[in-house]
Amino acid sequence: MPELPETETIARDLDASIAGRCIVSVVVTKSDVLREVSAAELLRRLPGATISRCWRRAKLVVLDLDIGDRLVVQPRFTGALLIDDGTLAESERRFSTLALTLDDGRLLHYRDIRRLGTVSLMSPPRFASYSAALGVEPLDPALSAERLSVLLRGSRQAVKKVLMDQRVVVGIGNIYANEALWRAGIDPSREARSLSSGESEALHHAIVSVLTESIEARGTSFRDYRDASGGRGGFVEKLAVYGRGGLPCPHCGARLVATHAIDGRSTVFCARCQE
């Protein structure tokens, strides 16, 4: 967490709220979140820069700056980009690792309780190289059902593990891999190469539908995820399997199985519905 729907929500919120704003000053309180840039360099290069666009790539939130650089934030488990107009709760400000003061008086905090996320400042060539090592976007038309089938056929690993491999398909983490595989009726432990073209098509449809629906619900909040205004995502109410081990399958009523056998991550599935 956050995965694609959560970072997409954050990026859209930021683009609507702070694109066009100039950075007046920068305060770094926890420099251990910084990558590829020092605190001193960040304080030197960012003031005076205008945020021209905010967008998402994979599980990253990207802020394009008019100086050519990109501020690249990977929130990971407990990170959040929060706009502070003076009303942000002190409990959120307490874990701010850096804050950008904007020309309208608001602040943009990168809050990270466990400080497992990262903030990088990248030049366009560096970002292009970094992005090129990532897989295809699951909501991009370039990832057709046929293309997904090709990607899966090349791996003997469990299909769930392949879906979560950011070098293959980006943005899908544990929550949405569980949900998509349940919707498609596919056992998460099956070898990816064993899926038929029909199963790959069903999985493609499930991936697109679950990600799209979650974006519409502004993501999934269990504990730490917050949107740019500090709000919680509403998709948690629509989860069919994730976090529901031992409860009835919404489709057939059988008890959902929870295991950590696949890559040590929590996997929940229906042994009756998923083959």
Side-chain angles (χ1 to χ4, degrees):
M1 278 290 288
E3 301 180 26
L4 185 153
E6 292 75 38
T7 46
E8 179 70 24
T9 298
I10 294 169
R12 290 183 183 184
D13 286 356
L14 293 178
D15 194 59
S17 185
I18 67 172
R21 300 260 61 104
C22 180
I23 300 170
V24 175
S25 62
V26 181
V27 174
V28 178
T29 52
K30 301 292 182 182
S31 61
D32 55 355
V33 301
L34 299 181
R35 299 291 186 275
E36 307 194 26
V37 66
S38 66
E41 190 175 8
L42 205 64
L43 269 60
R44 178 178 61 82
R45 293 170 65 181
L46 289 191
T50 295
I51 301 168
S52 55
R53 179 191 176 206
C54 306
W55 56 291
R56 178 196 59 79
R57 170 71 169 119
K59 299 179 185 179
L60 309 170
V61 179
V62 184
L63 278 63
D64 288 352
L65 306 175
D66 67 346
I67 57 175
D69 292 330
R70 284 174 167 155
L71 199 62
V72 182
V73 179
Q74 185 170 24
R76 289 210 171 104
F77 295 100
T78 62
L81 285 159
L82 301 171
I83 300 170
D84 184 4
D85 61 0
T87 62
L88 187 67
E90 179 57 33
S91 59
E92 298 287 3
R93 287 200 198 101
R94 186 186 314 141
F95 296 101
S96 177
T97 64
L98 65 87
L100 311 180
T101 300
L102 306 178
D103 58 359
D104 61 0
R106 293 179 298 166
L107 283 80
L108 176 63
H109 293 276
Y110 175 61
R111 180 272 276 154
D112 197 337
I113 298 169
R114 296 171 63 190
R115 302 208 301 278
L116 297 173
T118 61
V119 178
S120 306
L121 190 64
M122 298 185 185
S123 67
R126 169 61 185 135
F127 182 80
S129 173
Y130 185 88
S131 181
L134 298 172
V136 65
E137 290 281 347
L139 298 181
D140 192 312
L143 184 65
S144 62
E146 292 77 14
R147 175 59 177 160
L148 178 62
S149 181
V150 170
L151 293 173
L152 295 176
R153 285 204 303 269
S155 178
R156 293 186 175 186
Q157 292 185 324
V159 61
K160 184 191 171 206
K161 189 173 181 179
V162 175
L163 289 183
M164 294 172 60
D165 187 340
Q166 301 302 294
R167 298 166 299 179
V168 180
V169 182
V170 300
I172 302 174
N174 205 28
I175 293 175
Y176 301 108
N178 275 284
E179 293 296 307
L181 288 163
W182 178 80
R183 289 189 180 200
I186 296 169
D187 186 328
S189 66
R190 277 182 57 186
E191 286 190 3
R193 64 176 186 170
S194 73
L195 269 64
S196 66
S197 58
E199 288 173 322
S200 294
E201 184 174 359
L203 181 56
H204 178 266
H205 176 76
I207 291 169
V208 172
S209 65
V210 73
L211 293 178
T212 301
E213 289 171 27
S214 185
I215 290 171
E216 291 173 353
R218 301 184 61 77
T220 301
S221 289
F222 282 104
R223 292 177 296 274
D224 300 301
Y225 164 66
R226 298 292 185 273
D227 63 25
S229 300
R232 298 174 64 86
F235 194 70
V236 65
E237 299 174 1
K238 299 182 179 181
L239 293 174
V241 290
Y242 184 83
R244 299 187 68 249
L247 297 176
C249 170
H251 182 256
C252 73
R255 179 174 293 185
L256 294 171
V257 178
T259 177
H260 287 79
I262 303 174
D263 204 26
R265 303 295 300 276
S266 175
T267 299
V268 184
F269 67 102
C270 177
R272 182 181 297 173
C273 293
Q274 294 173 253
E275 301 177 355

